[in-house]
């Protein structure tokens, strides 16, 4: 079972404030899927060496979107922001043992990946 | 598969539990005075209806137990279901138990694992009721309780329990011990120690039957009221999908309706016999094509209360609404002009005005929704005092299914001096829409939501409004003259149809108007409201279902949006899809509407002329059985 990095909006705001007080660099990005209403925010805390030391996400997400968020955040914690930003739908499907993601649900998986890419900007 | 003489049921085996469905029809109908099962009933007979339901279920085989009216029953079924196995019960006079004993003996001798009993005189028992019982039996067959003691699966509704009932083979000895006029229900008392599983249904009519002529007439009337105005056989896709997937239920007509045979045939007929470009060639084939296209325009115009001069063929309602905004508004409006927009609008009735406003600086005001989720008429009246130049209204919301008083709202707009644009994408084809009577300046319609083809729709317009509208596309067919110095436009409506239009689409569109007129728009409207009411009533009994918009009855037209507590709409839709139920999930291209209704997204079930009460009941049943945690887990597993 994949680890969940989901927090409520309030919890995420508290986490971000805590990271900033600790002197960590914080990046936040969000995204919306207008078709399904999914809306996701992600936050990363990055230390002086550029490693992602804490991360979380919050928002309105279907189960596939939530899974993809957890994959993306998990990847950032394991391998850093750049590695996470390169994740593809297929990567997520493999990591989460999803099998093939149907065309109509690709957007659900892509949204968090685009949010993670948005961290680089 | 066991060797047996019963009619094999098309191989739709539901797993390892082999089920014989027995339709009980041996009784003498004493109080009827004649055979109630073979008397005409809503275009068929009760026995044919019951046997049809059993044969289309996933029972492995079906028998009919006859008795008092053996000859009539056999000859009736020989015509409708040739090959139907009718077992004559020679002891029918001794009471109902003799039929149950016969069915149980037969099931035992033929090696069935379970016997599904139901009475032939319960017309509201559908295939899916039988399938639910069989599925429930399959799921408990290997349980310790089912193995240790005689076990049955009963239908229930509230506190009432009854037929159809399924008995595992462990009950066959008990069933064969019944006597007199007691039916199988007498086994449910505690003295028999029967393990009893229940399948709860939400259908109040499930157990209805008739014993007297008066009851028979009432039953028939009630049954007729439930029937859909258009048969599924009018829609090839429903026939095709329905036979491949018996639980298939298409409840997304608001997105795109199923194409009806008439429009499909009209398109094919044109493409194979009269296809040529229009308004261009002078050879007979081209003239025929032109004639067909312009006749389609006239027909569509008449369908909506006007004539050919009011009809511009477009790609759909979205293009029509863009033309009204950018073509008319772009020419007629100036910086600072006020335009009122409907909060319940589809994005196509909002975004073009926002785009125009970015260009010329309009003042856009959203009217808002009242407490029921409908257009806030009070606020609308107040906003009209701001002297709007245009008002953009939604006839029926694609989120709530609530309709506005279009004629009244348009009249108010005109009194304020505003141009009224009406989005009829969800009303056209679902109710009578007389645009001349409503007096809209512009209106938008999509053929694919009216059982017609994709890629065609209509911008309805008053001639004087067309005169002040600029075409969005320039090219062939819409000009009277082109020189190197400039151009002269053709008169409307052709002015707005640059290039080669979707000719066969327009012809299919006209055919869909013919089809809907034949089915009857008033009847479609009544049916759509009845289905929505049925869903609203049923949903009120399911914990965790919240509707978008009012709970009141009689307000919705052919669609309902709702949410399930603890489940994302996508996950709900995916779970329903596993049962063959097709619904929409998301924002339905109406984000401001959702925001105003306090939701991010929703699940939407939408109905059409062919949608039956049974499909609404199936949807409610599926929602009742939703299990939030496991549905989310399904999402995790894909």
């Amino acid at each position: 079972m994949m680890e969940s990095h989901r927090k409520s909006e309030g919890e995420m705001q508290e986490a971000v404030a805590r990271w900033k007080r600790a002197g960590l660099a914080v990046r936040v990005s969000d995204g919306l899927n207008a078709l399904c209403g999914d809306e996701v925010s992600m936050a990363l805390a990055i230390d002086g060496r550029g490693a992602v030391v804490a991360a979380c996400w919050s928002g309105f997400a279907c189960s596939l979107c939530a899974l993809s968020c957890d994959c993306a955040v998990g990847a950032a914690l394991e391998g850093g922001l750049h590695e996470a930003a390169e994740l593809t739908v297929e990567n997520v499907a493999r990591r989460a043992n999803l099998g093939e993601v149907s065309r109509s649900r690709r957007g659900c998986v892509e949204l968090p990946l685009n949010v993670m890419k948005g961290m680089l900007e | 598969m066991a060797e047996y003489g019963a009619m094999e049921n098309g191989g739709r085996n539901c797993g390892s539990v082999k089920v014989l469905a027995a339709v009980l029809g041996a009784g003498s109908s004493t109080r009827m005075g004649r055979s109630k099962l073979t008397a005409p009933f809503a275009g068929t007979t009760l026995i044919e209806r019951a046997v049809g339901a059993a044969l289309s279920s996933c029972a492995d085989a079906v028998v009919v137990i006859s008795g008092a009216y053996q000859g009539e029953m056999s000859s009736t079924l020989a015509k409708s279901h040739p090959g139907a196995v009718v077992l004559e019960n020679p002891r029918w006079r001794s009471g109902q138990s003799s039929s149950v004993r016969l069915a149980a003996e037969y099931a035992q001798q033929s090696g069935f694992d379970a016997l599904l009993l139901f009475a032939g005189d319960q017309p509201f028992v559908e295939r899916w009721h039988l399938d639910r019982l069989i599925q429930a039996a399959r799921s408990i067959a290997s349980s310790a309780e089912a193995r240790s003691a005689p076990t049955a699966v009963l239908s229930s509704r509230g506190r009432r329990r009854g037929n159809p009932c399924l008995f595992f083979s462990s009950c066959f000895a008990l069933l064969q011990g019944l006597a007199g006029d007691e039916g199988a229900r007498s086994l449910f008392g505690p003295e028999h120690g029967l393990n009893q599983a229940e399948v709860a249904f939400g259908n109040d009519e499930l157990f209805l039957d008739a014993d007297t002529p008066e009851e028979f007439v009432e039953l028939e009337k009630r049954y007729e009221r439930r029937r859909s105005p258009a048969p599924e056989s009018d829609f090839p896709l429903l026939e095709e999908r329905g036979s491949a997937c018996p639980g298939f239920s298409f409840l997304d007509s608001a997105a795109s309706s199923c194409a009806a045979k008439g429009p499909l045939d009209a398109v094919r007929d044109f493409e194979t016999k009269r296809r040529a470009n229009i308004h261009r060639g002078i050879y007979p084939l081209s003239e025929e094509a032109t004639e067909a296209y312009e006749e389609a325009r006239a027909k569509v115009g008449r369908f909506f209360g006007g004539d050919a001069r009011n009809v511009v063929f477009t790609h759909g309602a979205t293009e029509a609404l863009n033309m009204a905004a950018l073509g008319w508004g772009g020419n007629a409006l100036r910086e600072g002009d006020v335009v009122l927009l409907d909060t319940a609008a589809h994005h196509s009735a909002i975004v073009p005005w926002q785009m125009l406003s970015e260009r010329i600086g309009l003042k856009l005001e959203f009217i808002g929704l009242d407490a029921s989720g409908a257009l806030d008429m009070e606020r609308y009246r107040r906003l009209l005092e701001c002297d709007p130049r245009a008002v953009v209204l939604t006839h029926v919301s694609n989120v709530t299914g609530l309709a506005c008083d279009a004629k009244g709202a348009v009249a108010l707009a005109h009194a304020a001096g505003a141009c009224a644009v009406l989005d009829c994408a969800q009303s056209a084809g679902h109710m009578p829409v007389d645009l001349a009577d409503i007096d809209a300046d512009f209106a938008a319609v999509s053929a694919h939501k009216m059982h017609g083809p994709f890629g065609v729709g209509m911008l309805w317009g008053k001639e004087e409004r067309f005169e002040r509208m600029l075409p969005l596309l320039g090219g062939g067919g819409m000009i009277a003259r082109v020189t190197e110095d400039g151009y002269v436009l053709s008169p409307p409506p052709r002015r707005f149809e640059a290039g080669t239009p979707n000719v066969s689409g327009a012809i299919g569109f006209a055919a869909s108007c013919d089809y809907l007129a034949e089915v009857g728009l008033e009847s479609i409207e009544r049916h759509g409201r009845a289905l929505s009411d049925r869903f609203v009533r049923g949903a009120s009994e399911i914990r965790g279902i919240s509707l978008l918009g009012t709970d009141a009855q009689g307000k919705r037209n052919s669609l309902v949006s709702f949410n399930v507590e603890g489940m994302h709409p996508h996950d709900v839709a995916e779970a329903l899809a596993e049962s063959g139920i097709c619904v929409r999930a998301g924002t339905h291209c109406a984000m401001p509407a959702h925001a105003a209704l306090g939701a991010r997204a929703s699940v939407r079930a939408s109905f059409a002329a062919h949608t039956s009460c049974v499909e609404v009941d199936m949807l409610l049943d599926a929602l009742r059985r939703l299990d939030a945690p496991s549905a989310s887990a399904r999402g995790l597993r894909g």
Side-chain angles (χ1 to χ4, degrees), chain B residues 233-521:
Chain B
S233 54
D234 282 355
F235 304 91
L237 179 125
L238 294 180
E239 286 203 304
E240 163 98 7
R241 286 279 163 160
S243 59
C245 171
F248 180 77
S249 174
F250 188 75
L251 301 180
D252 197 21
S253 293
S256 289
S257 57
C258 294
K261 274 183 186 162
L264 288 170
D265 288 345
V267 168
R268 184 175 174 78
D269 180 77
F270 175 80
E271 291 286 358
T272 55
K273 296 179 184 151
R274 290 180 288 164
R275 178 186 165 106
N277 209 316
I278 60 169
H279 297 136
R280 287 159 174 81
I282 58 168
Y283 46 90
L285 183 63
S286 179
E287 287 188 2
E288 272 182 54
T290 301
E291 179 67 30
Y293 181 79
E294 292 302 333
E295 174 52 34
R297 189 195 304 278
K299 194 174 275 190
V300 171
R302 286 193 299 271
F303 182 80
F304 287 105
D307 59 43
R309 291 170 296 181
N310 303 115
V311 176
V312 173
F313 282 124
T314 65
H315 294 133
T318 294
E319 187 187 3
L321 290 163
N322 271 268
M323 288 167 80
L326 303 173
W328 175 82
N331 190 40
L333 303 183
R334 299 290 174 263
E335 183 181 357
D337 282 345
V338 175
V339 175
L340 302 187
L341 300 179
D342 192 338
T343 305
H346 187 278
H347 293 162
S348 57
I350 296 175
V351 174
W353 296 97
Q354 291 173 327
M355 289 163 66
L356 182 63
S357 183
E358 279 176 352
R359 234 169 59 201
I360 69 172
L362 298 171
K363 193 166 179 323
L364 302 180
E365 287 281 353
F366 280 87
I367 297 165
L369 304 180
D370 65 18
S372 75
L375 184 77
D376 186 342
M377 288 300 289
E378 235 180 85
R379 188 148 191 271
Y380 177 53
R381 286 193 173 85
R382 284 202 305 275
L383 285 170
L384 286 172
E385 292 167 13
C386 304
D387 259 343
R389 295 291 314 283
V391 160
V392 187
L393 300 166
T394 304
H395 195 180
V396 172
S397 162
N398 75 324
V399 175
T400 61
L402 301 175
C404 73
D405 169 17
K407 191 169 174 178
V410 167
L412 287 171
H414 288 162
C419 170
V421 181
L422 189 64
D423 180 358
C424 294
Q426 297 298 337
S427 55
H430 292 278
M431 60 180 64
V433 176
D434 185 336
L435 291 169
D437 183 54
I438 290 172
D439 203 27
D441 296 283
F442 293 109
V445 165
S446 284
H448 69 95
K449 296 186 199 286
M450 292 171 55
H451 305 300
F454 282 113
V456 66
M458 171 189 77
L459 171 68
W460 165 280
K462 290 182 176 174
E463 287 177 87
E464 60 269 31
R465 293 296 185 186
F466 280 155
E467 289 299 335
R468 286 214 66 192
M469 190 167 98
L470 293 179
L472 298 185
L473 295 178
M478 47 80 73
I479 43 83
R481 186 200 342 227
V482 179
T483 66
E484 289 186 359
D485 298 319
Y487 63 93
V488 175
L489 291 170
S490 294
R494 285 186 57 198
R495 177 184 296 181
F496 307 110
E497 296 176 2
T500 299
N502 182 353
V503 181
S504 54
I507 287 159
F509 185 3
S512 75
C513 294
D514 283 341
Y515 173 72
L516 288 163
E518 197 182 305
V519 172
L521 286 164

Side-chain angles (χ1 to χ4, degrees), chain A residues 34-35 38-39 63 67 98 105, chain B residues 568 571 574 587 600-601 635-636:
Chain A
L35 265 182
D38 282 352
E39 191 166 3
S63 56
L67 187 65
L98 282 181
R105 299 298 297 270
Chain B
H568 189 285
D571 295 325
E574 182 137 345
T587 62
R600 300 258 202 159
L636 286 172

Side-chain angles (χ1 to χ4, degrees), chain B residues 511-534:
Chain B
S512 75
C513 294
D514 283 341
Y515 173 72
L516 288 163
E518 197 182 305
V519 172
L521 286 164
E522 286 87 358
S523 134
I524 293 172
E525 181 179 17
R526 273 195 306 272
H527 184 67
R529 286 190 180 222
L531 292 177
S532 299
D533 284 349
R534 191 178 187 91

Side-chain angles (χ1 to χ4, degrees), chain B residues 577-603:
Chain B
E578 288 178 8
S579 302
I581 299 172
C582 308
V583 295
R584 172 91 179 259
T587 62
H588 319 321
C589 300
M591 293 174 80
H594 274 88
L597 293 162
R600 300 258 202 159
S602 61
V603 183

Side-chain angles (χ1 to χ4, degrees), chain A residues 17-98:
Chain A
R18 203 165 52 244
W19 298 338
K20 284 179 177 170
R21 283 196 300 272
L24 295 165
V26 174
R27 293 204 190 187
V28 179
S29 175
D30 51 44
L32 164 73
N33 183 329
L35 265 182
C36 66
D38 282 352
E39 191 166 3
V40 159
S41 296
M42 285 182 187
L44 305 182
I46 301 172
D47 70 12
R49 290 170 300 141
V52 175
V53 297
C56 64
W57 69 272
S58 87
F60 179 71
C62 70
S63 56
L64 280 184
C65 181
L67 187 65
S68 181
C69 285
D70 285 331
C71 277
V73 167
L77 286 166
E78 287 162 21
L81 171 56
H82 284 87
E83 182 169 309
E86 284 174 11
L87 278 180
T88 63
V89 170
E90 287 69 30
N91 294 149
V92 171
R94 255 197 314 275
R95 281 169 77 106
N97 205 23
L98 282 181

